[in-house]
């Protein structure tokens, strides 16, 4: 690289070096942001899979229960007996 011949060339070279340094900082920041987006995407996919598995597990567990709300029921009541009959019909299908 040539040495600057006058003050104007010195100023231009100084400005060029500053802009190159700024560009390197921007590229570094951009790379960091892109890495963050990739990692967040991977995390979201993993979390989505876990949530889907958890929801499926809850569906299976609730499917087999007639009394899923935890409240006491009169087992000989007509309403509960109707639920039992309905549950047996859907389970046999």
């Amino acid at each position: 690289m040539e040495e600057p011949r006058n003050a104007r060339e010195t100023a231009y070279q100084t400005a060029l070096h500053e802009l190159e340094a700024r560009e390197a900082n921007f590229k570094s920041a951009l790379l960091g942001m892109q890495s963050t987006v990739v990692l967040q995407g991977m995390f979201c996919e993993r979390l989505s899979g876990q949530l889907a598995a958890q929801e499926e597990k809850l569906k299976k567990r609730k499917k087999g229960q007639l009394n899923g709300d935890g409240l006491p029921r009169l087992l000989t009541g007509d309403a509960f007996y109707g639920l039992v009959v309905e549950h047996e019909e859907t389970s046999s299908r």
Side-chain angles (χ1 to χ4, degrees), residues 5-21:
R5 291 178 277 188
N6 57 34
R8 179 178 283 171
E9 285 185 0
T10 303
Y12 287 156
Q13 279 191 350
T14 302
L16 178 63
H17 292 302
E18 289 174 359
L19 288 174
E20 287 174 343

Side-chain angles (χ1 to χ4, degrees), residues 9 41 52 54 70 80 85:
E9 285 185 0
Q54 184 180 13
F80 186 76
V85 170

